[in-house]
Amino acid sequence: MPRTKGQFETIRKESRQKILDAALEVFAKQGYHSATVDAITKTAGISKGLMYNYFKSKEDVLQELMLGIMEALMCEYMPLKSEEKFTEDDIINFINVGIDLVLEKPHYWKLYFSVALQPEVMSIVFGKMMEMGQPYMIAMNEYFRDKGVENPEVMMRYFSAVMDGIQFHCMLDPKTFPAEEVKKLLIGQFI
Amino acid sequence: MPRTKGQFETIRKESRQKILDAALEVFAKQGYHSATVDAITKTAGISKGLMYNYFKSKEDVLQELMLGIMEALMCEYMPLKSEEKFTEDDIINFINVGIDLVLEKPHYWKLYFSVALQPEVMSIVFGKMMEMGQPYMIAMNEYFRDKGVENPEVMMRYFSAVMDGIQFHCMLDPKTFPAEEVKKLLIGQFI
Amino acid sequence: MPRTKGQFETIRKESRQKILDAALEVFAKQGYHSATVDAITKTAGISKGLMYNYFKSKEDVLQELMLGIMEALMCEYMPLKSEEKFTEDDIINFINVGIDLVLEKPHYWKLYFSVALQPEVMSIVFGKMMEMGQPYMIAMNEYFRDKGVENPEVMMRYFSAVMDGIQFHCMLDPKTFPAEEVKKLLIGQFI
Amino acid sequence: MPRTKGQFETIRKESRQKILDAALEVFAKQGYHSATVDAITKTAGISKGLMYNYFKSKEDVLQELMLGIMEALMCEYMPLKSEEKFTEDDIINFINVGIDLVLEKPHYWKLYFSVALQPEVMSIVFGKMMEMGQPYMIAMNEYFRDKGVENPEVMMRYFSAVMDGIQFHCMLDPKTFPAEEVKKLLIGQFI
DNA sequence: TATGAATGAGGATTCATTCAT
DNA sequence: AATGAATGAATCCTCATTCAT
């Protein structure tokens, strides 16, 4: 009995995901350029040819992966509420979750950062990234405005940069970075 | 009649520097792996072979480059005084210079950050980097201790992370990042 | 529908052998260092890349080739019987076959000798060679001991050297070397 | 005061010899192809450029070296007397000196043998070699004819081959090869 | 005569991608 | 859908040779 359309669909999705997971692992460990298609497919437990059934190219895998990661991160980071304005609790949550996520999924972040540093690759995802980040920027802007910060736009960018710096150090040295204490400092500063 | 030892020395130094300069440019623009030896030597205006008169390999070029950059940056950043303790003015200077350097020499920083993200490459220079950074860490630690900060070690790591985050954003978006305002925020926070 | 495991196995074996055959031809004609990978793969009628699917490097090809050749030669030379002692007939056979093989397969011998002269290359296969030759040495030793030779160890080494010398000249000048007459001289001397 | 012509001549000769000596050493250790001009000139203690003042090319160095070696070996081997016929003592001497020379100057022999195995290189010197060896062949032929050997030509080729085989083994394993005992066996056989 | 920086053609090796099955 | 053998362009690196001084 032939498989139903739904079954095929399921198989396809699973295979795709297996490949993306493997790619993430290998990209994070070796960097995009050093990672070979062979390593990715071996990690995924499939043949080289099959990868090209699901993705146009190695670059396509990266692109899909990045979009998926960004979506996942944003999703987990904080589901933006409709009012589009952050409360103090939102910011506290943002800080806590932001740091915890790095400690939990350093792979995601290594890839995110390493891609952001590779000019050619960056252009692939930069536009999309800005677009997705926009609502958060706005919400944060509002938060600082409400707090009576003199120049909320500047503060927002300052805050973003600070968070990225913390996450960067967290990612590079998750063992000894004093994450919990730093969270407190952040909360003290931005609330 | 052959050239004198000194003449050869000069020639060697100049060629070496030409290669390092070119490598910096190309690595920063394309990333280490995408940068071809051909691109580096063409940029330097020399033959491919000559590069191998001065460096064992492409990797060796990167290594030498990174060490050179780190030394240069540290030098300009702030010549560490013998007392090994930062004053308020030192910190203000550190902040100002730190941000200005990124705006002036984005190449250096792109390379610095991109290397930090590539595990294989990182391992080449990590040890040396830590060693060179050590005195600054200690001096900063002392500064915060003197200021009566409760946990100077944590504050020092927080400060490093914040500075890196600022520099990172500065580097990615030098056009619109509000560098001057952020400097003021930093000084307000850490002095 | 992919090929079966067995089909792939067959394909691999055939390609591998094609490469080894081609390598033998080219190495023997041009020597190891002058032989280019391009020449080998063109001779084998395959792409350059494929060689690296089957062998780690050009050196690896040489190594595998030498081991294969030595095994093949030993096999044809004389399947060593379990008693591990040569009879007169064995020695006669050894002499005849030893010379005939050179005339039939000069390539094998050119490679064998040329490798023996290249220190870097030699070290790759020397150990294996000694190991494989050991039983023959012992069997010959026994033969001379049984014949009442005063110093069988010396005679054995003498015999080996003489055979190699004959084979060497045979190989260099197969057209005019009086192989048949020399066989008779050898048999007269060592039986 | 400028040097006299004679002095220049002397300097030239010495430099040439220094290069040839160095080349011999390096060729024997690494083989012709693996030996770099750099290694040769460094060993000789001169600059790369200077080598090309004395020799057209690396191949030219090899050629000159081979001719020199052959002449030297032949010279030491046995100054052929005018009668052009070997006596028993000549043959004994030939055997003894032939083996001793290998033990004393393995470098010369390694080069001699290794060159003989490299087809392209061989053609350069083969003609010359035959020409120089001719008188010895003839003299040996005469010796065996006088001894009443049935087929002196065959015996002569047999003898040459045997000597080469002994020398080959001597060269490959000078430490354990029983040179003295083998000399006696040879003398017993061919006198 | 002597130097060694510079060249560039040539060779080994890698790896994303294709394709017959 | 799935396989992995096969391809070849791209890349790193070597080294004999040249040349300005």
Side-chain angles (χ1 to χ4, degrees):
Chain A
M1 196 193 302
R3 271 172 265 217
T4 66
K5 269 195 189 153
Q7 283 175 310
F8 274 124
E9 187 72 10
T10 307
I11 290 175
R12 277 196 74 83
K13 257 201 187 136
E14 278 172 5
S15 288
R16 251 186 88 90
Q17 197 51 46
K18 236 184 351 187
I19 295 168
L20 287 173
D21 289 346
L24 172 61
E25 189 181 327
V26 179
F27 284 163
K29 208 188 304 172
Q30 322 193 4
Y32 173 69
H33 278 103
S34 296
T36 65
V37 170
D38 213 57
I40 295 169
T41 54
K42 278 225 172 70
T43 301
I46 58 159
S47 74
K48 247 192 304 199
L50 191 55
M51 201 191 86
Y52 286 88
N53 260 338
Y54 293 103
F55 300 94
K56 270 205 318 289
S57 64
K58 186 183 159 189
E59 190 175 311
D60 187 35
V61 174
L62 175 68
Q63 207 174 133
E64 296 282 318
L65 189 55
M66 286 298 293
L67 293 180
I69 285 176
M70 277 160 40
E71 222 156 316
L73 287 181
M74 294 240 161
C75 221
E76 285 197 70
Y77 219 153
M78 180 168 302
L80 202 58
K81 290 169 313 235
S82 52
E83 312 96 62
E84 297 194 343
K85 187 188 284 189
F86 280 159
T87 65
E88 288 201 341
D89 280 354
D90 286 333
I91 295 289
I92 291 175
N93 196 37
F94 193 87
I95 290 169
N96 285 324
V97 173
I99 292 176
D100 290 343
L101 278 179
V102 176
L103 295 172
E104 283 162 24
K105 308 197 177 179
H107 277 178
Y108 275 32
W109 294 91
K110 278 205 175 169
L111 192 58
Y112 163 77
F113 275 106
S114 84
V115 161
L117 266 304
Q118 303 195 354
E120 340 98 275
V121 177
M122 181 153 185
S123 60
I124 302 172
V125 288
F126 194 72
K128 192 80 186 170
M129 226 162 79
M130 279 295 114
E131 188 189 316
M132 291 174 80
Q134 202 63 21
Y136 292 82
M137 298 290 175
I138 292 170
M140 242 176 261
N141 212 325
E142 290 301 308
Y143 167 76
F144 287 121
R145 172 172 327 247
D146 281 9
K147 271 198 79 96
V149 167
E150 196 184 342
N151 200 336
E153 162 76 15
V154 168
M155 184 59 86
M156 183 266 287
R157 298 205 63 162
Y158 179 55
F159 180 61
S160 308
V162 166
M163 280 302 291
D164 273 354
I166 304 294
Q167 290 172 325
F168 191 65
H169 277 223
C170 239
M171 184 194 75
L172 284 184
D173 185 12
K175 297 262 170 57
T176 78
F177 192 83
E180 292 310 314
E181 289 90 336
V182 166
K183 276 184 197 168
K184 281 180 205 136
L185 287 172
L186 281 168
I187 289 168
Q189 180 178 3
F190 290 101
I191 298 301
Chain B
M1 196 78 65
R3 291 184 185 82
T4 66
K5 279 262 167 68
Q7 283 174 306
F8 279 128
E9 185 79 8
T10 308
I11 291 174
R12 285 192 73 81
K13 253 197 191 138
E14 278 170 6
S15 286
R16 229 187 108 87
Q17 198 51 49
K18 243 191 324 193
I19 294 168
L20 287 174
D21 290 347
L24 172 61
E25 190 181 328
V26 179
F27 283 161
K29 207 189 303 170
Q30 321 194 4
Y32 173 70
H33 277 105
S34 297
T36 65
V37 170
D38 213 56
I40 296 169
T41 53
K42 279 226 171 73
T43 301
I46 58 160
S47 72
K48 236 185 314 194
L50 191 58
M51 202 190 85
Y52 291 90
N53 257 338
Y54 294 99
F55 301 94
K56 273 201 313 289
S57 61
K58 188 181 150 188
E59 189 176 307
D60 189 36
V61 174
L62 175 69
Q63 202 173 147
E64 296 283 317
L65 188 54
M66 285 297 293
L67 294 181
I69 285 176
M70 277 160 41
E71 222 155 315
L73 285 182
M74 294 233 162
C75 228
E76 282 197 72
Y77 224 150
M78 178 168 306
L80 206 57
K81 293 174 308 251
S82 53
E83 312 97 63
E84 297 195 343
K85 188 188 284 190
F86 281 156
T87 65
E88 287 200 342
D89 280 353
D90 286 333
I91 295 289
I92 291 174
N93 193 39
F94 194 87
I95 290 168
N96 285 324
V97 174
I99 291 175
D100 289 344
L101 277 179
V102 177
L103 295 171
E104 282 162 24
K105 307 195 177 180
H107 277 175
Y108 276 30
W109 295 92
K110 280 205 174 166
L111 192 58
Y112 165 78
F113 277 106
S114 94
V115 159
L117 267 305
Q118 303 196 351
E120 339 98 275
V121 178
M122 185 62 181
S123 62
I124 302 171
V125 287
F126 191 75
K128 194 78 186 171
M129 225 163 85
M130 281 294 113
E131 189 189 315
M132 290 176 79
Q134 202 64 20
Y136 290 82
M137 297 290 172
I138 292 169
M140 241 174 260
N141 212 326
E142 291 300 309
Y143 167 77
F144 287 121
R145 173 172 326 244
D146 281 9
K147 272 199 79 92
V149 167
E150 194 185 345
N151 201 334
E153 161 78 14
V154 169
M155 185 59 87
M156 183 265 285
R157 297 203 64 162
Y158 179 55
F159 180 60
S160 308
V162 166
M163 281 301 293
D164 272 354
I166 305 293
Q167 289 172 324
F168 188 61
H169 277 223
C170 236
M171 184 194 78
L172 283 184
D173 184 13
K175 297 252 171 62
T176 78
F177 191 84
E180 291 310 315
E181 290 89 337
V182 167
K183 276 185 197 168
K184 281 179 206 137
L185 286 173
L186 281 167
I187 290 168
Q189 180 178 3
F190 291 102
I191 297 303
Chain C
M1 197 78 63
R3 291 186 185 80
T4 65
K5 280 260 167 66
Q7 283 174 308
F8 278 128
E9 184 79 7
T10 308
I11 290 174
R12 284 192 73 82
K13 252 195 190 139
E14 278 170 5
S15 286
R16 229 188 108 88
Q17 197 51 49
K18 245 192 324 194
I19 294 168
L20 286 173
D21 290 346
L24 171 61
E25 189 181 326
V26 179
F27 283 161
K29 207 189 304 171
Q30 323 195 5
Y32 174 70
H33 276 106
S34 296
T36 65
V37 170
D38 213 57
I40 295 170
T41 53
K42 280 229 171 70
T43 300
I46 57 158
S47 72
K48 236 187 313 193
L50 191 58
M51 203 190 84
Y52 290 90
N53 256 337
Y54 295 99
F55 301 95
K56 273 202 312 290
S57 62
K58 187 181 151 189
E59 189 176 307
D60 188 36
V61 175
L62 176 68
Q63 201 174 146
E64 296 283 317
L65 189 54
M66 286 297 293
L67 293 182
I69 286 176
M70 276 160 44
E71 223 155 313
L73 285 182
M74 294 237 159
C75 228
E76 284 197 71
Y77 224 151
M78 178 168 303
L80 205 58
K81 289 173 312 241
S82 51
E83 310 97 64
E84 298 194 344
K85 188 187 283 190
F86 280 157
T87 64
E88 288 200 341
D89 280 354
D90 286 334
I91 295 289
I92 291 174
N93 194 39
F94 194 87
I95 290 168
N96 285 324
V97 173
I99 292 175
D100 291 342
L101 277 179
V102 177
L103 295 171
E104 283 162 23
K105 308 196 176 179
H107 276 175
Y108 277 29
W109 295 92
K110 282 207 172 162
L111 192 59
Y112 165 77
F113 276 107
S114 93
V115 159
L117 267 303
Q118 304 197 350
E120 340 99 274
V121 178
M122 185 61 180
S123 63
I124 303 171
V125 287
F126 191 74
K128 195 75 187 174
M129 225 164 84
M130 281 296 113
E131 189 189 315
M132 291 175 79
Q134 202 64 17
Y136 291 81
M137 297 291 173
I138 292 169
M140 242 176 260
N141 212 325
E142 291 300 309
Y143 167 77
F144 286 121
R145 172 169 329 236
D146 281 9
K147 271 198 80 91
V149 168
E150 194 184 345
N151 201 335
E153 162 78 16
V154 168
M155 184 59 86
M156 183 265 285
R157 298 204 63 163
Y158 179 55
F159 180 59
S160 308
V162 166
M163 281 302 292
D164 271 355
I166 304 295
Q167 289 172 326
F168 189 60
H169 277 224
C170 235
M171 185 194 77
L172 283 182
D173 184 13
K175 297 256 172 59
T176 77
F177 191 82
E180 292 309 316
E181 290 89 337
V182 167
K183 276 185 197 168
K184 280 180 207 136
L185 286 173
L186 281 169
I187 289 168
Q189 181 178 1
F190 291 102
I191 298 301
Chain D
M1 194 193 303
R3 274 171 262 218
T4 65
K5 270 196 188 154
Q7 283 175 309
F8 273 124
E9 187 73 11
T10 307
I11 290 176
R12 276 196 76 82
K13 256 199 188 140
E14 278 171 5
S15 287
R16 252 186 86 91
Q17 196 52 47
K18 234 182 353 184
I19 295 168
L20 287 173
D21 289 346
L24 172 61
E25 189 181 327
V26 180
F27 284 162
K29 208 188 304 170
Q30 321 192 5
Y32 173 70
H33 277 104
S34 297
T36 66
V37 170
D38 213 58
I40 296 169
T41 54
K42 279 225 170 68
T43 301
I46 60 160
S47 74
K48 247 189 307 196
L50 192 55
M51 201 191 86
Y52 286 88
N53 261 337
Y54 294 102
F55 300 93
K56 270 204 319 290
S57 64
K58 186 183 159 190
E59 191 176 310
D60 188 36
V61 175
L62 175 68
Q63 205 173 133
E64 297 281 317
L65 189 54
M66 286 299 293
L67 293 179
I69 285 175
M70 277 159 40
E71 222 157 316
L73 286 181
M74 294 239 161
C75 220
E76 283 197 71
Y77 219 154
M78 178 169 303
L80 203 58
K81 292 172 309 238
S82 52
E83 313 98 61
E84 298 194 342
K85 186 189 286 189
F86 281 159
T87 64
E88 286 200 344
D89 280 353
D90 286 334
I91 295 289
I92 291 173
N93 195 37
F94 193 87
I95 290 169
N96 285 325
V97 173
I99 291 175
D100 290 343
L101 277 179
V102 176
L103 294 173
E104 282 162 23
K105 307 196 177 182
H107 277 179
Y108 276 31
W109 294 92
K110 279 204 174 171
L111 193 58
Y112 164 77
F113 274 106
S114 84
V115 161
L117 267 303
Q118 302 192 355
E120 340 99 275
V121 177
M122 183 156 184
S123 59
I124 303 171
V125 286
F126 194 71
K128 192 79 186 170
M129 226 163 77
M130 280 294 114
E131 188 189 317
M132 292 174 78
Q134 202 63 23
Y136 293 82
M137 298 290 174
I138 293 170
M140 240 175 262
N141 213 327
E142 291 300 311
Y143 167 76
F144 286 121
R145 173 172 329 246
D146 281 9
K147 272 197 79 96
V149 168
E150 195 186 344
N151 200 334
E153 163 76 15
V154 168
M155 184 58 88
M156 183 267 286
R157 297 204 64 162
Y158 180 55
F159 180 60
S160 310
V162 167
M163 281 302 292
D164 273 353
I166 305 293
Q167 289 172 325
F168 190 65
H169 277 223
C170 240
M171 184 193 77
L172 284 184
D173 184 12
K175 297 261 170 57
T176 78
F177 192 82
E180 292 310 315
E181 289 91 336
V182 166
K183 276 184 196 168
K184 280 181 207 137
L185 285 173
L186 282 168
I187 289 168
Q189 180 179 3
F190 290 101
I191 299 301

